[in-house]
Amino acid sequence: MSAQAQVFDPAKASVQTLFATMVENLKREMRRYKAVTVGFSAGKDSTCVLHGVIEAARQLKQLEGISVAVRAVTSDTGVELPNQHITSLEMASIFEGYAESVDIDYEQVWVGPSPINSYLVVMLGMRGVMTMPQGSATCSVQMKLDPAKKARKRLAKQFGGAANVLSVSGVRTLESTKPVSYTHLRAH
């Protein structure tokens, strides 16, 4: 078999194979760390990644005796739709229960913007613009990314330095990054 034929093609792999590959890759990285943070929004990407991280932590502990703490970091911006907030709470509870059942050191970390960076203060104070498709992400930075960075800094202190904490997030690579145009759809 040629080297070309041995290349892993995720587009042709089963979901089980993709998940197992992700878990193996995570285990390889996680062995070197005391803790892993996962940016968790309760969306499909971060849910899949968090599940993979917990599974990797479970396997490392059970098969190799390596304990890695898992911290899911969720930003509560205060402007999510109520259904999204409820979903985030429910998903966090499910993962907490699952991690406990497989004896993983797991914690859900909730972060949010400081009052000065809350959505209304930023918009009314004209210190930023709403996050728009293909545009600026002022709100995402101030309301999600900056609070998550502060949480990771606190966790780094807890686990003996940033070099001991791996941060993981999910990104889809098999989808188009271009927005779909629906201009061809017409009402009948």
Side-chain angles (χ1 to χ4, degrees):
M1 183 179 270
S2 70
Q4 184 71 15
Q6 295 175 355
V7 173
F8 179 70
D9 184 357
K12 296 179 182 175
S14 70
V15 172
Q16 292 83 359
T17 300
L18 289 171
F19 187 77
T21 301
M22 177 179 66
V23 169
E24 287 304 313
N25 289 334
L26 286 166
K27 284 173 24 185
R28 185 179 61 246
E29 292 301 315
M30 289 169 58
R31 280 184 184 95
R32 303 183 312 219
Y33 296 90
K34 293 180 180 179
V36 178
T37 66
V38 180
F40 180 64
S41 68
K44 59 188 172 185
D45 299 328
S46 64
T47 296
C48 183
V49 171
L50 181 55
H51 184 204
V53 166
I54 292 172
E55 177 59 20
R58 183 193 70 78
Q59 288 182 23
L60 286 171
K61 187 170 188 175
Q62 287 184 350
L63 303 175
E64 302 178 32
I66 299 171
S67 292
V68 180
V70 177
R71 301 295 184 260
V73 180
T74 301
S75 183
D76 182 358
T77 64
V79 295
E80 283 84 9
L81 294 172
N83 286 348
Q84 178 57 43
H85 185 70
I86 291 167
T87 298
S88 294
L89 292 171
E90 289 173 348
M91 293 298 292
S93 178
I94 289 168
F95 276 112
E96 286 172 338
Y98 175 66
E100 184 179 336
S101 76
V102 295
D103 196 30
I104 298 301
D105 177 3
Y106 176 89
E107 186 178 317
Q108 175 66 52
V109 179
W110 296 94
V111 299
S114 63
I116 193 70
N117 286 325
S118 69
Y119 183 78
L120 287 175
V121 172
V122 169
M123 293 300 107
L124 293 174
M126 296 191 289
R127 293 187 300 111
V129 295
M130 292 188 324
T131 301
M132 303 296 287
Q134 306 293 326
S136 173
T138 302
C139 290
S140 293
V141 171
Q142 291 174 340
M143 297 176 69
K144 295 179 181 179
L145 299 178
D146 288 346
K149 283 181 190 175
K150 288 179 184 176
R152 284 194 299 276
K153 285 181 182 179
R154 286 191 304 271
L155 291 169
K157 287 181 183 177
Q158 179 183 349
F159 290 101
N164 294 323
V165 181
L166 173 66
S167 292
V168 178
S169 62
V171 177
R172 279 173 271 159
T173 58
L174 297 178
E175 287 184 6
S176 170
T177 57
K178 296 178 184 174
V180 176
S181 172
Y182 293 101
T183 56
H184 65 281
L185 299 178
R186 302 281 181 249
H188 296 283

